Amino acid sequence: TQSTWGYCQKMKSQSSSFAWWLCACALVAIFSQCRISQAQDTRSWYRQISGRINVNERMYPAVCDCSGKFFNLTSVCGPSRINIKPLQYGHERFTAHDLQLHLGDVGDLKAVDVTLESFSCIDGRSSEELLGTAGGDAQEFIHALIAYQEIGRTNYPIWIMDVKRYLSRYLNSTQRGTVIPGAGGKKRYRYMYYHTDYAAVERLRKFMNEPNLDITNPAPHIPRDVLLSAVSQPEHVGCRHIRRLLSKSNPDSVTSMTELFLQAMYQILWDKSTPLYKRIRHVILAARPDLEQKALVHIRSSNPCLAAGYAFPFAPYQDDVSLYIQHPNAALSLREDLANYFHDLANPKDDAKVPDLKRRSYELAREAMEAFIIEKGEKLPIYAVTIE
């Protein structure tokens, strides 16, 4: 193109109008062909993109496939409105209209596949869009572990090495991973969410006499046995829901399974020799005693969306307003996933039926939410929100 343009400029300087016209036509033809070739090469190049992307210090496989059709969510569930129903008005001045403004316009909602997403805690200190359940993935696993002990392992004690094996296999199981289209069989794995807060971490540092303790990667000189015992003590747990499971008022089976889970989880998190630690999302939330959550909000999807496996995440904290966000319907898929996992894990002689495991996990989750509501008292407004 550059050489042709130079020749055209020479013809123009020699006042050859016919040659100039031919040059101009040739230049346009060459440029058009280059654009077509470039566009084809670009489309071909984009179809072959594969790599890794760093998001919030976590690595994810990245694949671009521009050759197929895009999924049209509207054809599956087509949300058209947000229906808000008060369940408890409470004493706080946070109305249904306030909640509507907080949730935003229905046209801006983003649906996610619940089989690919992790569940965060309903804690109102996070500003990221999330699917919420009390205690997040960690507490749901603890509930399933308790159900398995009560129903599937009644004749066998469960030790720390057992729980670590259960958790490791679960994090690495195909039930937690979905094959990425066009990625040569690679899988995207859901991480397991667990959160504490800076207040609990500071108490742990003081207890260990380690002011610079990194709870996710402790230094080699720190005695692991002492630290493992400490991380499962209630005062060092920043999640109020998991801390409640450690209360002495609970049956021994509940407190012991919770302690064993915390110790097994931290053992996996500290072991950097395997990739499993990357599938635990350990979050340390800010200690905000001044932050007052305005309401508890149960988010439900319409039947078509629910049947298709989609739910709508929301950010608990935005515009200086904090809410407890829970997705009770979406969490049922996680409990079914866990029930199937522990059923397959059980000895064939054990009577660990999937419906029984699901029922017990649901009962534990309901009891946890009821205890939370009682703890918050009548002043907390409660709303049921359905995305229709």
Side-chain angles (χ1 to χ4, degrees):
T1 303
Q2 290 179 347
S3 61
T4 304
W5 174 247
Y7 179 75
C8 290
Q9 290 289 89
K10 182 178 180 181
M11 291 297 100
K12 184 178 180 182
S13 65
Q14 296 176 357
S15 302
S16 177
S17 60
F18 180 72
W20 164 252
W21 182 81
L22 285 178
C23 280
C25 290
L27 192 61
V28 170
I30 292 172
F31 183 72
S32 299
Q33 186 62 33
C34 288
R35 289 290 300 273
I36 293 172
S37 176
Q38 183 185 33
Q40 291 173 343
D41 290 344
T42 301
R43 284 194 294 270
S44 176
W45 180 72
Y46 272 121
R47 290 192 189 104
Q48 299 174 15
I49 288 179
S50 63
R52 295 176 67 80
I53 185 171
N54 190 317
V55 179
N56 293 333
E57 299 182 355
R58 298 184 66 85
M59 297 300 296
Y60 297 91
V63 176
C64 179
D65 183 2
C66 303
S67 59
K69 294 182 179 179
F70 291 99
F71 174 71
N72 185 4
L73 177 63
T74 305
S75 65
V76 176
C77 61
S80 59
R81 67 169 181 164
I82 300 176
N83 184 28
I84 300 176
K85 179 182 178 181
L87 301 180
Q88 176 175 295
Y89 287 98
H91 302 321
E92 296 287 343
R93 293 184 177 180
F94 190 79
T95 66
H97 177 69
D98 296 328
L99 178 57
Q100 180 72 63
L101 294 176
H102 184 88
L103 298 177
D105 187 78
V106 67
D108 297 329
L109 297 184
K110 178 185 70 176
V112 296
D113 186 339
V114 297
T115 64
L116 298 178
E117 298 298 318
S118 297
F119 281 79
S120 302
C121 186
I122 67 172
D123 193 292
R125 290 176 284 182
S126 176
S127 58
E128 67 177 25
E129 292 186 342
L130 53 81
L131 299 179
T133 186
D137 291 314
Q139 180 153 312
E140 292 290 348
F141 189 93
I142 293 171
H143 287 165
L145 181 62
I146 295 170
Y148 175 60
Q149 183 206 30
E150 294 177 352
I151 299 172
R153 281 287 295 260
T154 55
N155 298 322
Y156 315 97
I158 295 180
W159 307 99
I160 177 64
M161 66 284 293
D162 297 317
V163 179
K164 184 179 179 181
R165 185 174 69 255
Y166 302 158
L167 182 55
S168 297
R169 289 178 59 179
Y170 182 65
L171 293 173
N172 203 31
S173 69
T174 56
Q175 290 177 319
R176 295 279 298 180
T178 301
V179 175
I180 305 171
K186 293 182 180 179
K187 293 181 179 180
R188 172 190 174 186
Y189 288 88
R190 289 192 308 192
Y191 56 75
M192 172 169 282
Y193 177 96
Y194 171 82
H195 88 81
T196 183
D197 63 19
Y198 280 104
V201 171
E202 285 302 318
R203 288 192 292 268
L204 178 61
R205 287 171 174 168
K206 185 176 180 180
F207 174 82
M208 296 294 298
N209 195 25
E210 293 286 346
N212 298 318
L213 170 66
D214 180 358
I215 187 59
T216 65
N217 190 21
H221 73 273
I222 299 176
R224 295 298 176 93
D225 54 342
V226 178
L227 186 57
L228 269 181
S229 176
V231 294
S232 59
Q233 298 304 308
E235 61 271 20
H236 302 146
V237 176
C239 176
R240 70 195 308 161
H241 305 282
I242 295 180
R243 187 167 60 242
R244 187 181 296 111
L245 294 178
L246 294 168
S247 171
K248 299 298 183 182
S249 60
N250 291 310
D252 291 341
S253 60
V254 174
T255 56
S256 63
M257 289 301 102
T258 305
E259 290 174 355
L260 291 178
F261 167 82
L262 290 172
Q263 294 171 11
M265 182 199 68
Y266 275 107
Q267 283 185 339
I268 295 172
L269 187 64
W270 297 338
D271 184 3
K272 309 304 182 184
S273 64
T274 71
L276 280 183
Y277 77 93
K278 297 179 181 179
R279 295 181 191 151
I280 297 175
R281 188 183 179 194
H282 186 283
V283 177
I284 304 177
L285 296 176
R288 292 287 305 273
D290 60 313
L291 190 63
E292 186 72 20
Q293 283 74 23
K294 298 296 184 181
L296 169 62
V297 184
H298 304 292
I299 306 289
R300 291 178 169 85
S301 302
S302 63
N303 288 334
C305 288
L306 194 62
Y310 286 88
F312 299 90
F314 287 93
Y317 180 72
Q318 55 181 326
D319 301 327
D320 292 327
V321 175
S322 176
L323 304 174
Y324 297 114
I325 298 289
Q326 186 195 26
H327 291 77
N329 287 21
L332 294 176
S333 68
L334 176 58
R335 291 175 198 143
E336 183 171 4
D337 178 21
L338 286 162
N340 286 322
Y341 172 74
F342 277 102
H343 170 265
D344 295 340
L345 193 68
N347 189 303
K349 296 180 180 179
D350 297 329
D351 191 23
K353 295 184 175 64
V354 171
D356 295 333
L357 293 170
K358 285 173 58 179
R359 174 187 52 78
R360 182 58 181 139
S361 293
Y362 176 81
E363 289 174 352
L364 291 166
R366 186 193 62 208
E367 292 169 3
M369 183 52 59
E370 290 174 350
F372 171 71
I373 293 174
I374 292 174
E375 176 188 313
K376 299 304 296 182
E378 296 180 356
K379 72 174 185 176
L380 183 69
I382 304 175
Y383 292 98
V385 173
T386 304
I387 312 299
E388 299 178 334

